[in-house]
mmCIF file of all heavy atoms in Angstrom:
data_model
loop_
_atom_site.group_PDB
_atom_site.id
_atom_site.type_symbol
_atom_site.label_atom_id
_atom_site.label_comp_id
_atom_site.label_asym_id
_atom_site.label_seq_id
_atom_site.Cartn_x
_atom_site.Cartn_y
_atom_site.Cartn_z
ATOM 1 N N THR A 120 120.361 168.474 106.464
ATOM 2 C CA THR A 120 121.780 168.844 106.555
ATOM 3 C C THR A 120 122.576 168.361 105.353
ATOM 4 O O THR A 120 123.756 168.722 105.203
ATOM 5 C CB THR A 120 122.405 168.257 107.826
ATOM 6 O OG1 THR A 120 122.350 166.828 107.753
ATOM 7 C CG2 THR A 120 121.651 168.745 109.070
ATOM 8 N N GLY A 121 121.981 167.538 104.493
ATOM 9 C CA GLY A 121 122.709 166.936 103.394
ATOM 10 C C GLY A 121 123.374 165.629 103.763
ATOM 11 O O GLY A 121 123.933 164.957 102.900
ATOM 12 N N GLN A 122 123.314 165.251 105.049
ATOM 13 C CA GLN A 122 123.843 163.980 105.510
ATOM 14 C C GLN A 122 122.696 162.989 105.696
ATOM 15 O O GLN A 122 121.608 163.381 106.095
ATOM 16 C CB GLN A 122 124.608 164.150 106.817
ATOM 17 C CG GLN A 122 125.818 165.040 106.717
ATOM 18 C CD GLN A 122 126.515 165.218 108.056
ATOM 19 O OE1 GLN A 122 125.866 165.400 109.082
ATOM 20 N NE2 GLN A 122 127.836 165.177 108.045
ATOM 21 N N PHE A 123 122.943 161.728 105.406
ATOM 22 C CA PHE A 123 121.894 160.705 105.471
ATOM 23 C C PHE A 123 122.295 159.602 106.457
ATOM 24 O O PHE A 123 123.482 159.383 106.724
ATOM 25 C CB PHE A 123 121.648 160.098 104.097
ATOM 26 C CG PHE A 123 120.999 161.040 103.129
ATOM 27 C CD1 PHE A 123 121.740 162.008 102.457
ATOM 28 C CD2 PHE A 123 119.612 160.999 102.919
ATOM 29 C CE1 PHE A 123 121.128 162.889 101.577
ATOM 30 C CE2 PHE A 123 119.002 161.861 102.047
ATOM 31 C CZ PHE A 123 119.754 162.828 101.371
ATOM 32 N N PHE A 124 121.284 158.930 106.996
ATOM 33 C CA PHE A 124 121.529 157.825 107.907
ATOM 34 C C PHE A 124 120.566 156.682 107.572
ATOM 35 O O PHE A 124 119.520 156.881 106.953
ATOM 36 C CB PHE A 124 121.383 158.248 109.376
ATOM 37 C CG PHE A 124 119.946 158.603 109.767
ATOM 38 C CD1 PHE A 124 119.113 157.665 110.342
ATOM 39 C CD2 PHE A 124 119.464 159.881 109.536
ATOM 40 C CE1 PHE A 124 117.809 157.974 110.703
ATOM 41 C CE2 PHE A 124 118.160 160.206 109.896
ATOM 42 C CZ PHE A 124 117.325 159.249 110.479
ATOM 43 N N SER A 125 120.943 155.498 107.997
ATOM 44 C CA SER A 125 120.133 154.306 107.728
ATOM 45 C C SER A 125 119.526 153.797 109.017
ATOM 46 O O SER A 125 120.003 154.078 110.123
ATOM 47 C CB SER A 125 120.962 153.205 107.079
ATOM 48 O OG SER A 125 121.999 152.791 107.959
ATOM 49 N N VAL A 126 118.454 153.012 108.876
ATOM 50 C CA VAL A 126 117.779 152.410 110.019
ATOM 51 C C VAL A 126 117.259 151.044 109.567
ATOM 52 O O VAL A 126 116.839 150.872 108.416
ATOM 53 C CB VAL A 126 116.641 153.318 110.531
ATOM 54 C CG1 VAL A 126 115.614 153.585 109.426
ATOM 55 C CG2 VAL A 126 115.946 152.705 111.736
ATOM 56 N N GLY A 127 117.314 150.080 110.460
ATOM 57 C CA GLY A 127 116.845 148.755 110.088
ATOM 58 C C GLY A 127 116.895 147.790 111.262
ATOM 59 O O GLY A 127 117.438 148.099 112.327
ATOM 60 N N SER A 128 116.355 146.599 111.027
ATOM 61 C CA SER A 128 116.304 145.543 112.039
ATOM 62 C C SER A 128 116.537 144.205 111.379
ATOM 63 O O SER A 128 116.076 143.972 110.243
ATOM 64 C CB SER A 128 114.934 145.521 112.750
ATOM 65 O OG SER A 128 114.609 146.783 113.285
ATOM 66 N N ILE A 129 117.248 143.311 112.055
ATOM 67 C CA ILE A 129 117.475 141.970 111.536
ATOM 68 C C ILE A 129 117.357 140.957 112.668
ATOM 69 O O ILE A 129 117.571 141.282 113.846
ATOM 70 C CB ILE A 129 118.870 141.812 110.861
ATOM 71 C CG1 ILE A 129 119.987 142.065 111.866
ATOM 72 C CG2 ILE A 129 118.982 142.712 109.642
ATOM 73 C CD1 ILE A 129 121.360 141.701 111.335
ATOM 74 N N ALA A 130 117.003 139.742 112.300
ATOM 75 C CA ALA A 130 117.005 138.618 113.243
ATOM 76 C C ALA A 130 117.491 137.383 112.498
ATOM 77 O O ALA A 130 117.019 137.095 111.376
ATOM 78 C CB ALA A 130 115.612 138.390 113.816
ATOM 79 N N VAL A 131 118.431 136.664 113.091
ATOM 80 C CA VAL A 131 118.961 135.445 112.500
ATOM 81 C C VAL A 131 118.700 134.313 113.499
ATOM 82 O O VAL A 131 119.012 134.442 114.687
ATOM 83 C CB VAL A 131 120.480 135.560 112.224
ATOM 84 C CG1 VAL A 131 121.004 134.275 111.619
ATOM 85 C CG2 VAL A 131 120.748 136.741 111.310
ATOM 86 N N GLY A 132 118.106 133.233 113.013
ATOM 87 C CA GLY A 132 117.716 132.168 113.917
ATOM 88 C C GLY A 132 118.106 130.781 113.428
ATOM 89 O O GLY A 132 118.262 130.552 112.221
ATOM 90 N N VAL A 133 118.256 129.871 114.366
ATOM 91 C CA VAL A 133 118.454 128.463 114.088
ATOM 92 C C VAL A 133 117.357 127.713 114.828
ATOM 93 O O VAL A 133 116.975 128.070 115.942
ATOM 94 C CB VAL A 133 119.843 127.947 114.511
ATOM 95 C CG1 VAL A 133 120.907 128.572 113.664
ATOM 96 C CG2 VAL A 133 120.094 128.225 115.992
ATOM 97 N N SER A 134 116.798 126.675 114.178
ATOM 98 C CA SER A 134 115.658 125.954 114.740
ATOM 99 C C SER A 134 115.896 124.442 114.687
ATOM 100 O O SER A 134 116.644 123.943 113.846
ATOM 101 C CB SER A 134 114.377 126.296 113.965
ATOM 102 O OG SER A 134 114.122 127.686 113.978
ATOM 103 N N TYR A 135 115.222 123.756 115.603
ATOM 104 C CA TYR A 135 115.266 122.304 115.625
ATOM 105 C C TYR A 135 113.933 121.773 116.121
ATOM 106 O O TYR A 135 113.319 122.335 117.049
ATOM 107 C CB TYR A 135 116.385 121.809 116.551
ATOM 108 C CG TYR A 135 116.355 120.315 116.770
ATOM 109 C CD1 TYR A 135 116.784 119.436 115.771
ATOM 110 C CD2 TYR A 135 115.868 119.783 117.962
ATOM 111 C CE1 TYR A 135 116.743 118.065 115.969
ATOM 112 C CE2 TYR A 135 115.844 118.407 118.157
ATOM 113 C CZ TYR A 135 116.273 117.553 117.159
ATOM 114 O OH TYR A 135 116.221 116.191 117.340
ATOM 115 N N ALA A 136 113.450 120.714 115.494
ATOM 116 C CA ALA A 136 112.201 120.078 115.926
ATOM 117 C C ALA A 136 112.315 118.582 115.742
ATOM 118 O O ALA A 136 113.043 118.085 114.882
ATOM 119 C CB ALA A 136 111.008 120.623 115.118
ATOM 120 N N LYS A 137 111.559 117.869 116.573
ATOM 121 C CA LYS A 137 111.570 116.406 116.497
ATOM 122 C C LYS A 137 110.202 115.850 116.830
ATOM 123 O O LYS A 137 109.510 116.353 117.714
ATOM 124 C CB LYS A 137 112.614 115.813 117.468
ATOM 125 C CG LYS A 137 112.780 114.306 117.344
ATOM 126 C CD LYS A 137 113.924 113.816 118.177
ATOM 127 C CE LYS A 137 114.109 112.302 118.074
ATOM 128 N NZ LYS A 137 114.444 111.888 116.707
ATOM 129 N N GLN A 138 109.819 114.835 116.092
ATOM 130 C CA GLN A 138 108.570 114.101 116.366
ATOM 131 C C GLN A 138 108.853 113.101 117.499
ATOM 132 O O GLN A 138 109.511 112.063 117.275
ATOM 133 C CB GLN A 138 108.110 113.359 115.093
ATOM 134 C CG GLN A 138 106.713 112.822 115.163
ATOM 135 C CD GLN A 138 105.678 113.827 114.738
ATOM 136 O OE1 GLN A 138 105.952 114.725 113.945
ATOM 137 N NE2 GLN A 138 104.466 113.702 115.263
ATOM 138 N N LEU A 139 108.389 113.415 118.687
ATOM 139 C CA LEU A 139 108.677 112.566 119.831
ATOM 140 C C LEU A 139 107.824 111.298 119.854
ATOM 141 O O LEU A 139 108.285 110.232 120.254
ATOM 142 C CB LEU A 139 108.453 113.353 121.125
ATOM 143 C CG LEU A 139 109.348 114.607 121.286
ATOM 144 C CD1 LEU A 139 109.048 115.290 122.598
ATOM 145 C CD2 LEU A 139 110.825 114.244 121.183
ATOM 146 N N THR A 140 106.569 111.422 119.451
ATOM 147 C CA THR A 140 105.676 110.279 119.256
ATOM 148 C C THR A 140 104.923 110.529 117.952
ATOM 149 O O THR A 140 105.075 111.566 117.316
ATOM 150 C CB THR A 140 104.670 110.132 120.414
ATOM 151 O OG1 THR A 140 103.736 111.189 120.359
ATOM 152 C CG2 THR A 140 105.400 110.150 121.765
ATOM 153 N N GLU A 141 104.097 109.578 117.562
ATOM 154 C CA GLU A 141 103.353 109.761 116.315
ATOM 155 C C GLU A 141 102.313 110.856 116.417
ATOM 156 O O GLU A 141 101.789 111.305 115.386
ATOM 157 C CB GLU A 141 102.671 108.436 115.910
ATOM 158 C CG GLU A 141 101.670 107.919 116.918
ATOM 159 C CD GLU A 141 100.997 106.651 116.423
ATOM 160 O OE1 GLU A 141 100.851 106.514 115.189
ATOM 161 O OE2 GLU A 141 100.640 105.805 117.253
ATOM 162 N N TRP A 142 101.996 111.310 117.629
ATOM 163 C CA TRP A 142 100.985 112.346 117.794
ATOM 164 C C TRP A 142 101.500 113.622 118.450
ATOM 165 O O TRP A 142 100.766 114.589 118.593
ATOM 166 C CB TRP A 142 99.820 111.817 118.635
ATOM 167 C CG TRP A 142 100.227 111.110 119.901
ATOM 168 C CD1 TRP A 142 100.426 109.776 120.066
ATOM 169 C CD2 TRP A 142 100.509 111.702 121.173
ATOM 170 N NE1 TRP A 142 100.822 109.480 121.353
ATOM 171 C CE2 TRP A 142 100.877 110.650 122.060
ATOM 172 C CE3 TRP A 142 100.483 113.002 121.659
ATOM 173 C CZ2 TRP A 142 101.217 110.885 123.398
ATOM 174 C CZ3 TRP A 142 100.824 113.239 122.996
ATOM 175 C CH2 TRP A 142 101.181 112.178 123.846
ATOM 176 N N PHE A 143 102.794 113.661 118.826
ATOM 177 C CA PHE A 143 103.312 114.838 119.541
ATOM 178 C C PHE A 143 104.683 115.219 119.031
ATOM 179 O O PHE A 143 105.568 114.371 118.865
ATOM 180 C CB PHE A 143 103.387 114.520 121.044
ATOM 181 C CG PHE A 143 103.936 115.672 121.855
ATOM 182 C CD1 PHE A 143 103.141 116.762 122.161
ATOM 183 C CD2 PHE A 143 105.224 115.624 122.354
ATOM 184 C CE1 PHE A 143 103.639 117.822 122.929
ATOM 185 C CE2 PHE A 143 105.738 116.673 123.116
ATOM 186 C CZ PHE A 143 104.925 117.775 123.403
ATOM 187 N N SER A 144 104.890 116.525 118.752
ATOM 188 C CA SER A 144 106.202 117.034 118.327
ATOM 189 C C SER A 144 106.561 118.270 119.131
ATOM 190 O O SER A 144 105.692 119.008 119.628
ATOM 191 C CB SER A 144 106.199 117.361 116.830
ATOM 192 O OG SER A 144 105.223 118.336 116.514
ATOM 193 N N LEU A 145 107.848 118.495 119.248
ATOM 194 C CA LEU A 145 108.369 119.606 120.038
ATOM 195 C C LEU A 145 109.449 120.305 119.225
ATOM 196 O O LEU A 145 110.249 119.641 118.550
ATOM 197 C CB LEU A 145 108.944 119.095 121.358
ATOM 198 C CG LEU A 145 109.596 120.082 122.307
ATOM 199 C CD1 LEU A 145 108.552 121.060 122.855
ATOM 200 C CD2 LEU A 145 110.310 119.359 123.449
ATOM 201 N N GLY A 146 109.505 121.654 119.301
ATOM 202 C CA GLY A 146 110.521 122.379 118.557
ATOM 203 C C GLY A 146 110.889 123.672 119.232
ATOM 204 O O GLY A 146 110.169 124.171 120.107
ATOM 205 N N GLY A 147 112.019 124.209 118.825
ATOM 206 C CA GLY A 147 112.468 125.474 119.382
ATOM 207 C C GLY A 147 113.387 126.218 118.432
ATOM 208 O O GLY A 147 113.936 125.646 117.498
ATOM 209 N N SER A 148 113.519 127.502 118.663
ATOM 210 C CA SER A 148 114.387 128.362 117.860
ATOM 211 C C SER A 148 115.198 129.266 118.790
ATOM 212 O O SER A 148 114.723 129.680 119.855
ATOM 213 C CB SER A 148 113.586 129.240 116.885
ATOM 214 O OG SER A 148 112.839 128.475 115.990
ATOM 215 N N PHE A 149 116.412 129.559 118.360
ATOM 216 C CA PHE A 149 117.267 130.516 119.049
ATOM 217 C C PHE A 149 117.603 131.631 118.074
ATOM 218 O O PHE A 149 118.063 131.356 116.953
ATOM 219 C CB PHE A 149 118.541 129.848 119.578
ATOM 220 C CG PHE A 149 119.470 130.808 120.263
ATOM 221 C CD1 PHE A 149 119.240 131.199 121.579
ATOM 222 C CD2 PHE A 149 120.565 131.311 119.604
ATOM 223 C CE1 PHE A 149 120.090 132.092 122.206
ATOM 224 C CE2 PHE A 149 121.437 132.207 120.227
ATOM 225 C CZ PHE A 149 121.202 132.600 121.534
ATOM 226 N N LYS A 150 117.407 132.887 118.487
ATOM 227 C CA LYS A 150 117.565 134.015 117.553
ATOM 228 C C LYS A 150 118.490 135.082 118.131
ATOM 229 O O LYS A 150 118.444 135.400 119.322
ATOM 230 C CB LYS A 150 116.186 134.651 117.274
ATOM 231 C CG LYS A 150 115.204 133.736 116.596
ATOM 232 C CD LYS A 150 113.871 134.433 116.340
ATOM 233 C CE LYS A 150 113.102 134.683 117.603
ATOM 234 N NZ LYS A 150 111.703 135.122 117.323
ATOM 235 N N PHE A 151 119.288 135.638 117.229
ATOM 236 C CA PHE A 151 120.033 136.872 117.530
ATOM 237 C C PHE A 151 119.290 138.028 116.872
ATOM 238 O O PHE A 151 118.913 137.952 115.706
ATOM 239 C CB PHE A 151 121.454 136.793 116.988
ATOM 240 C CG PHE A 151 122.182 138.120 116.959
ATOM 241 C CD1 PHE A 151 122.642 138.672 118.142
ATOM 242 C CD2 PHE A 151 122.349 138.818 115.775
ATOM 243 C CE1 PHE A 151 123.287 139.905 118.145
ATOM 244 C CE2 PHE A 151 123.008 140.049 115.763
ATOM 245 C CZ PHE A 151 123.477 140.593 116.954
ATOM 246 N N VAL A 152 119.078 139.095 117.623
ATOM 247 C CA VAL A 152 118.266 140.223 117.167
ATOM 248 C C VAL A 152 119.085 141.495 117.228
ATOM 249 O O VAL A 152 119.807 141.747 118.212
ATOM 250 C CB VAL A 152 116.993 140.397 118.038
ATOM 251 C CG1 VAL A 152 116.097 141.493 117.494
ATOM 252 C CG2 VAL A 152 116.234 139.080 118.146
ATOM 253 N N ASN A 153 119.019 142.306 116.170
ATOM 254 C CA ASN A 153 119.735 143.579 116.138
ATOM 255 C C ASN A 153 118.824 144.654 115.524
ATOM 256 O O ASN A 153 118.146 144.409 114.529
ATOM 257 C CB ASN A 153 121.023 143.450 115.311
ATOM 258 C CG ASN A 153 121.673 144.817 115.044
ATOM 259 O OD1 ASN A 153 121.382 145.473 114.056
ATOM 260 N ND2 ASN A 153 122.541 145.223 115.941
ATOM 261 N N GLU A 154 118.838 145.816 116.142
ATOM 262 C CA GLU A 154 118.200 146.999 115.574
ATOM 263 C C GLU A 154 119.213 148.130 115.560
ATOM 264 O O GLU A 154 119.953 148.321 116.530
ATOM 265 C CB GLU A 154 116.985 147.417 116.401
ATOM 266 C CG GLU A 154 115.828 146.429 116.319
ATOM 267 C CD GLU A 154 114.519 147.046 116.797
ATOM 268 O OE1 GLU A 154 114.447 147.413 117.982
ATOM 269 O OE2 GLU A 154 113.585 147.124 115.994
#
Side-chain angles (χ1 to χ4, degrees):
T120 63
Q122 297 178 318
F123 290 81
F124 68 95
S125 62
V126 58
S128 305
I129 61 170
V131 180
V133 293
S134 303
Y135 171 75
K137 186 173 180 62
Q138 192 88 27
L139 300 181
T140 70
E141 61 178 329
W142 48 267
F143 179 76
S144 60
L145 178 67
S148 299
F149 178 80
K150 297 180 289 191
F151 167 74
V152 184
N153 171 269
E154 292 196 298

